[in-house]
Amino acid sequence: MIPSALFRPAPLFSIAAALRLTLLVYGIWQDANSALKYTDIDYLVFTDASRLLAKGQSPYDRDTYRYTPLLAWLLLPTAGPSSSILFSFGKVVFALADLLAGWLLLRMLQARRGMTLERSGAFAALWLWNPMVATISTRGSSEGLLGVLTTALLWAVERRRNWLAGVILGLGVHFKIYPFIYAPAIVWWMDAEHTGCVALQNKRASVKDRLLYFITLARVELAVTSLATFMLLNILMYSMYGHPFLLHTYLHHVTRIDHRHNFSAYNTLLYLNSAADPSSSSSSSSWHAESLAFLPQLLLACLLIPLAIAKKDLATSMLAQTFAFVTFNKVCTSQYFLWYMVFLPLYLPSSSLLRNPRLGISALLLWVGTQGAWLQQGYQLEFLGKSTFFPGLWLSSLAFFATNCWILGIIISDGASDKSAAPTQ
Amino acid sequence: MRERVTFFHPTDTGVLPENLKRDKEGLAAPVFETTREDRFTLGLDELPAEVASVLDGFSSLHVAWNSPVAYRTLEPFAARLSPGLHVLFDPAVAGTFDKSDLCSLLQVFSPRDCSVGEAISTTITGPEGSPQPKQFFQPLEELSNFAKWLSSEVCGAEDDACQSRAQRLLSAAGLDITYDAASKTVKVSAFWPLKKQPVSVPFSPHRRTEVGILTLGNPPNLAPDHVGVSGILTTLGEKKQPSPALFAFPARHKLSDSYFSTAFLTPTGLHPTLQLSLSGSQPPKEDAECKLYAYLTLPKTIFADRFQLDGELFMASKNLTALRATSLPVDLEAPAYTTGAWGSSILLELAPPTSAANQAWTAEVPLHLRYLKPSETGLKSIEIPYPAVFWACSAEQGPEFSQNPFDRAHVGYDTLFESDTVFWHVEPRPEQGDRLVNTISVPVLNEHGSALIGVGTSMVVALGFGWVLWKLYSAVAQNGYQATSKADEEKKKR
């Protein structure tokens, strides 16, 4: 086993940084010496957009740039030639974001009752030493930034820094939309007990009084700062880049029909229905369940899970919400898994997946196995040209979906159970 | 209307003057091995009214078709295009182009429903960013629809000569129609490849018909980049005997002595690689600067990712130098059935091996398939035409290609180069069979699953959702939703 001294902060972060540095240098070497690039295609999209910015153009002049201009701004130092050392600047930023997210995780773990430095370090290592996380950011995918935004959001809320939490929430939603699901959980969590105000004692208070008591200072602060941040950023970006900003950052994600095969349970149905002749809508194949897909997804992620768990364990609620959001989404690729993986170190210490190793190992095997089955079918399609859409890919995506629902059920049960996972005051 | 019929034959064949039969029927000679080009020049007023009104919408229009069946040719008919129907045009008034004009024009070549309003053109962008015409392409196996249209709309029912000439288009290998608003004329040229064919040119009192029976010759003092020609010229209906001719002109298109074939590497998957196999690596001229290019015309089912075709190492590993031009727009994600544009075209500079010896070699072009509509078998076969492969060499002293009576401009790629560029064409040869197309079997969704996919997906999602709801319900029923300490208090109160 790994000696526990390695989980002390200095070695913990040194190893995490060394891992990323090694991958970064290796990536530069591979890019320079092999026709097969280490750098992610998305990174070339970001840096192309930054180069356009540097020339005074709009980042949306680059096809498939579907992000906030903030990202292109952030990566402006990469605008030089791709042989320059500064070209890797963005990857360094993403890797640093990983480390910062890991540091926030560590701080939040330590704030929990009875957790030693080594033990919290070991859980933080699930993120910091995770090769998948390190690879994704050093290849230049921006998902690491989401990791730091969501952990910082949770950290700010737990620290009662409501203004900061609001700013981060607004920024996160501006950046990638999906963090809006955390707003109801945080608002629900910010009750009198959690924010240290006087609790509403009178059980017989009128509805009006209850509503008035619901409006706490913390909730107002969060609402105002998050909305203000979100709107200010949007107004700024809209004034600079106009309609293309709205189109590519937001509207594209609402109207897109992602027909290319991905992990989503809806994928095959989306392909089938997108190809259906609109003039023969009465045909037997038109089962438009996917048009209602947002209902279970948003009900779970924005309403039911926060209501049931947020007050008991905000971190687990955010994990379960993200898990539900990704599982029930119409599009699902492996980088979305990072969105919930960042919360795992906070959930696992009190999880039945660890308490009951058989349960934990079964969940892990099923999650990996159904994904592997899908990947095998996807490989047959993508590289061998075999028509595995039906039944292979379809069935494996449904099996992966069912596995995720089962794991989500476990997380919900754990989150709602009466154990103290809340941070000490 | 004027007509010009030209036979170009190899130097070792030909027609003896005594075998040439000229009478009031026209001109005839025994079968021999030759190419043939018929060219008609018409004024706008000689066209059917509806055609003339469609042409009004264009300031220039060039339609070029090449047969997908491999054929042999001779200079000066050296130019090659991807097999299929290419349309290059400039609208009369920029920006106010009516797509239905293009569509009704295309109906002459193959039946299509213009109410759907497809036929969306693209524009290729060259390195210099010089203005380029709009372009459109569609695969077209043969000219039968065009021949039918000619015989019913243009020829009179009793005009047997016209009818039989329309029918002859079925064996043509090429067709060019060019219209220029400035000159108010339409030139229609049909080309028959090098093969044994009878010489027969009917006389018509309604037009002047010139006939040339020519072969490549070498007049003294032939200027560089020029083609020398000798043979006989005659005009039908005139009493004059055929006159011998010897002349030369600069040629934009020439034949190189190498050939190529293309094939997709297997397995093709969803990201097929098109392999070009070339018989030679040496430029056709040693004293000129020559570069080798492939001009790909890709139907909407397949496309090249212009962002992928970048980076020295990557390109070099495929024996490519750089992507020099690409048509826009090209959607890099959408399935074929939601893509508006006809497809795309790209100009790639190839990187032949630099060793001194002339050697056979290959280059690979990475491409991507779009999703296609589901089918009964789970597979759908698509055809991708051969590219045009040529060496582009700088000419020595700005030749006036327009002096060439057989010049073929507006082939799609010529405007991407300097106007004095000479194109040395590499001959396309089919890998197997006689067609210059590559076939890919694209995996698609099997239609047999349709009903099950709808019901099954909904059921599994409903069950998964129900399971999570149940877990939520039982968790709240057991422990409430308040934080632990408070829940404990409430329990005590009870």
Side-chain angles (χ1 to χ4, degrees):
Chain A
M1 290 303 285
I2 306 167
S4 63
L6 283 182
F7 294 126
R8 302 181 75 76
L12 177 70
F13 283 96
S14 307
I15 291 173
L19 171 66
R20 281 162 179 79
L21 195 64
T22 311
L23 286 171
L24 197 68
V25 172
Y26 169 77
I28 292 173
W29 178 86
Q30 184 178 324
D31 283 357
N33 290 285
S34 166
L36 197 71
K37 300 295 177 219
Y38 178 80
T39 300
D40 194 88
I41 310 249
D42 285 346
Y43 192 68
L44 303 178
V45 178
F46 308 153
T47 51
D48 281 354
S50 296
R51 219 164 284 143
L52 289 171
L53 262 187
K55 282 191 266 176
Q57 287 173 264
S58 161
Y60 299 105
D61 290 348
R62 170 62 160 90
D63 269 28
T64 71
Y65 185 80
R66 307 252 159 77
Y67 315 86
T68 162
L70 282 182
L71 188 59
W73 288 6
L74 181 69
L75 267 55
L76 261 182
T78 64
S82 57
S83 55
S84 138
I85 190 77
L86 270 179
F87 181 70
S88 300
F89 174 80
K91 300 178 181 180
V92 175
V93 170
F94 300 151
L96 285 175
D98 280 358
L99 297 187
L100 182 58
W103 181 78
L104 290 167
L105 288 173
L106 192 67
R107 291 298 301 267
M108 286 190 277
L109 282 164
Q110 281 169 351
R112 279 161 202 255
R113 217 177 298 154
M115 199 172 270
T116 63
L117 202 58
E118 286 82 2
R119 190 169 153 76
S120 45
F123 282 106
L126 281 175
W127 172 261
L128 283 168
W129 294 358
N130 192 319
M132 181 175 160
V133 176
T135 311
I136 286 182
S137 26
T138 51
R139 287 187 67 206
S141 172
S142 64
E143 304 302 327
L145 289 180
L146 267 306
V148 78
L149 281 175
T150 50
T151 44
L153 174 63
L154 179 59
W155 175 82
V157 172
E158 288 192 352
R159 288 268 146 173
R160 317 281 186 272
R161 299 194 178 161
N162 303 326
W163 287 75
L164 181 61
V167 170
I168 297 172
L169 180 61
L171 178 65
V173 178
H174 170 78
F175 219 97
K176 202 89 188 190
I177 307 177
Y178 87 90
F180 78 89
I181 61 174
Y182 304 132
I186 296 168
V187 167
W188 188 236
W189 180 88
M190 281 177 164
D191 53 18
E193 191 185 340
H194 281 117
T195 50
C197 304
V198 186
L200 178 63
Q201 299 293 344
N202 189 354
K203 287 271 143 196
R204 308 217 178 276
S206 68
V207 176
K208 189 181 152 208
D209 285 343
R210 280 173 172 262
L211 272 177
L212 275 176
Y213 278 115
F214 186 82
I215 304 171
T216 61
L217 181 63
R219 283 170 176 151
V220 172
E221 282 176 346
L222 182 85
V224 169
T225 47
S226 61
L227 269 177
T229 309
F230 180 66
M231 287 319 294
L232 277 177
L233 282 171
N234 288 343
I235 290 168
L236 177 68
M237 297 307 165
Y238 186 78
S239 68
M240 295 182 71
Y241 304 108
H243 186 65
F245 156 70
L246 283 186
L247 183 68
H248 295 291
T249 317
Y250 299 122
L251 302 181
H252 165 77
H253 298 281
V254 182
T255 57
R256 72 195 283 188
I257 308 168
D258 225 309
H259 60 285
R260 293 205 88 95
H261 54 285
N262 60 66
F263 290 115
S264 170
Y266 295 106
N267 179 246
T268 317
L269 187 61
L270 282 177
Y271 173 20
L272 183 67
N273 288 345
S274 76
D277 193 348
S279 58
S280 63
S281 55
S282 57
S283 77
S284 60
S285 68
S286 61
W287 187 290
H288 290 276
E290 83 282 0
S291 53
L292 296 173
F294 69 94
L295 266 181
Q297 182 188 28
L298 295 187
L299 263 179
L300 288 177
C302 300
L303 189 69
L304 300 176
I305 293 175
L307 277 180
I309 320 181
K311 281 179 189 280
K312 288 172 176 289
D313 183 348
L314 185 56
T316 302
S317 171
M318 287 168 74
L319 167 68
Q321 289 170 267
T322 324
F323 207 93
F325 188 87
V326 171
T327 301
F328 284 85
N329 201 21
K330 287 201 276 188
V331 187
C332 178
T333 62
S334 53
Q335 59 181 4
Y336 291 19
F337 301 157
L338 239 62
W339 295 357
Y340 56 73
M341 277 171 71
V342 72
F343 293 115
L344 279 182
L346 299 174
Y347 157 71
L348 282 177
S350 59
S351 144
S352 57
L353 295 173
L354 278 196
R355 272 202 315 276
N356 179 355
R358 268 173 68 183
L359 186 68
I361 290 170
S362 311
L364 184 65
L365 285 182
L366 270 174
W367 191 78
V368 172
T370 48
Q371 213 180 122
W374 187 95
L375 286 171
Q376 193 266 343
Q377 294 294 308
Y379 171 82
Q380 299 248 319
L381 169 69
E382 188 108 28
F383 295 99
L384 305 185
K386 294 196 176 145
S387 176
T388 57
F389 289 108
F390 181 86
L393 266 180
W394 180 63
L395 284 180
S396 51
S397 72
L398 290 185
F400 184 58
F401 172 81
T403 302
N404 280 321
C405 285
W406 177 62
I407 297 175
L408 181 58
I410 296 173
I411 299 172
I412 287 172
S413 301
D414 286 347
S417 73
D418 281 321
K419 39 90 197 141
S420 187
T424 49
Q425 303 292 316
Chain B
M1 187 193 293
R2 280 177 293 136
E3 181 184 7
R4 187 188 78 192
V5 179
T6 316
F7 299 89
F8 260 96
H9 57 85
T11 43
D12 56 354
T13 64
V15 185
L16 295 171
E18 56 265 37
N19 290 340
L20 216 52
K21 199 175 123 230
R22 289 173 85 233
D23 54 24
K24 62 180 197 318
E25 297 289 312
L27 181 136
V31 169
F32 77 117
E33 189 178 46
T34 181
T35 63
R36 170 173 176 159
E37 187 203 54
D38 291 9
R39 172 180 286 194
F40 298 86
T41 307
L42 300 95
L44 270 189
D45 49 346
E46 294 172 287
L47 292 168
E50 67 269 22
V51 176
S53 80
V54 167
L55 288 180
D56 247 4
F58 299 92
S59 81
S60 76
L61 172 72
H62 308 282
V63 178
W65 172 81
N66 256 34
S67 165
V69 178
Y71 63 87
R72 291 187 303 143
T73 187
L74 288 177
E75 284 179 4
F77 304 123
R80 293 276 188 171
L81 289 159
S82 280
L85 186 74
H86 303 254
V87 184
L88 295 171
F89 63 94
D90 287 305
V93 185
T96 62
F97 179 64
D98 188 356
K99 279 194 207 98
S100 62
D101 277 356
L102 177 59
C103 190
S104 51
L105 179 96
L106 292 167
Q107 266 182 325
V108 170
F109 296 95
S110 68
R112 58 168 53 230
D113 182 2
C114 286
S115 63
V116 185
E118 27 151 7
I120 293 180
S121 57
T122 60
T123 309
I124 197 160
T125 323
E128 274 77 42
S130 50
Q132 299 288 338
K134 292 184 174 298
Q135 54 173 193
F136 181 87
F137 168 84
Q138 73 173 55
L140 186 66
E141 193 67 28
E142 50 176 28
L143 295 175
S144 55
N145 219 69
F146 182 58
K148 219 177 285 167
W149 177 82
L150 280 180
S151 78
S152 68
E153 303 292 320
V154 180
C155 302
E158 273 85 55
D159 190 345
D160 289 342
C162 183
Q163 294 287 355
S164 79
R165 294 191 80 168
Q167 281 312 302
R168 285 209 51 209
L169 280 175
L170 293 179
S171 61
L175 178 76
D176 279 280
I177 302 174
T178 74
Y179 163 73
D180 205 330
S183 66
K184 296 238 178 287
T185 55
V186 175
K187 285 181 187 155
V188 183
S189 319
F191 171 75
W192 287 265
L194 180 61
K195 65 179 177 200
K196 287 217 156 88
Q197 52 188 313
V199 172
S200 145
V201 186
F203 168 72
S204 163
H206 305 299
R207 58 180 177 262
R208 179 187 158 89
T209 304
E210 293 171 9
V211 181
I213 300 177
L214 305 168
T215 189
L216 291 190
N218 274 320
N221 307 324
L222 187 66
D225 299 314
H226 280 53
V227 172
V229 157
S230 63
I232 50 169
L233 298 175
T234 181
T235 305
L236 298 191
E238 288 183 3
K239 286 273 180 270
K240 262 171 45 186
Q241 282 301 305
S243 55
L246 182 67
F247 59 104
F249 46 82
R252 189 194 309 266
H253 298 286
K254 307 199 56 150
L255 293 176
S256 86
D257 54 5
S258 52
Y259 56 88
F260 78 97
S261 65
T262 67
F264 281 102
L265 299 179
T266 53
T268 45
L270 292 179
H271 309 281
T273 297
L274 183 68
Q275 186 176 57
L276 313 178
S277 305
L278 291 107
S279 68
S281 58
Q282 293 292 315
K285 278 181 82 177
E286 282 184 1
D287 49 348
E289 197 190 321
C290 294
K291 285 174 179 164
L292 184 61
Y293 293 89
Y295 182 74
L296 278 74
T297 305
L298 302 168
K300 64 161 73 168
T301 49
I302 194 166
F303 65 96
D305 181 349
R306 62 187 180 282
F307 298 110
Q308 182 194 16
L309 294 171
D310 193 17
E312 232 170 276
L313 278 170
F314 178 77
M315 296 298 272
S317 75
K318 311 275 178 207
N319 282 341
L320 306 173
T321 304
L323 178 66
R324 293 299 181 202
T326 174
S327 69
L328 288 174
V330 189
D331 192 301
L332 303 177
E333 295 158 322
Y337 48 82
T338 65
T339 307
W342 62 268
S344 57
S345 47
I346 58 168
L347 179 70
L348 272 169
E349 187 183 333
L350 309 182
T354 47
S355 65
N358 198 20
Q359 62 183 94
W361 62 288
T362 65
E364 281 85 39
V365 185
L367 298 170
H368 306 275
L369 290 172
R370 290 187 194 283
Y371 272 40
L372 309 179
K373 288 196 169 189
S375 82
E376 287 234 329
T377 55
L379 292 171
K380 210 172 243 178
S381 184
I382 58 163
E383 287 192 335
I384 293 103
Y386 264 47
V389 177
F390 51 83
W391 292 89
C393 304
S394 54
E396 277 172 33
Q397 37 190 235
E400 277 297 326
F401 291 128
S402 53
Q403 290 173 4
N404 178 349
F406 308 101
D407 186 30
R408 193 178 184 192
H410 314 291
V411 284
Y413 46 83
D414 51 342
T415 47
L416 299 171
F417 293 86
E418 297 287 328
S419 61
D420 60 355
T421 305
V422 179
F423 301 97
W424 294 78
H425 292 270
V426 182
E427 185 195 343
R429 289 194 184 168
E431 186 101 306
Q432 39 184 232
D434 64 350
R435 300 190 67 233
L436 297 172
V437 292
N438 292 114
T439 309
I440 300 188
S441 175
V442 182
V444 296
L445 179 59
N446 194 315
E447 276 175 351
H448 294 304
S450 320
L452 198 55
I453 288 166
V455 181
T457 306
S458 311
M459 270 176 55
V460 172
V461 171
L463 281 174
F465 183 50
W467 169 255
V468 178
L469 283 183
W470 165 248
K471 298 298 279 185
L472 275 167
Y473 170 76
S474 46
V476 173
Q478 206 178 349
N479 301 310
Y481 60 84
Q482 292 291 359
T484 316
S485 52
K486 198 158 190 178
D488 286 345
E489 275 171 28
E490 280 178 13
K491 269 180 207 158
K492 277 177 213 154
K493 276 181 197 162
R494 283 182 206 136

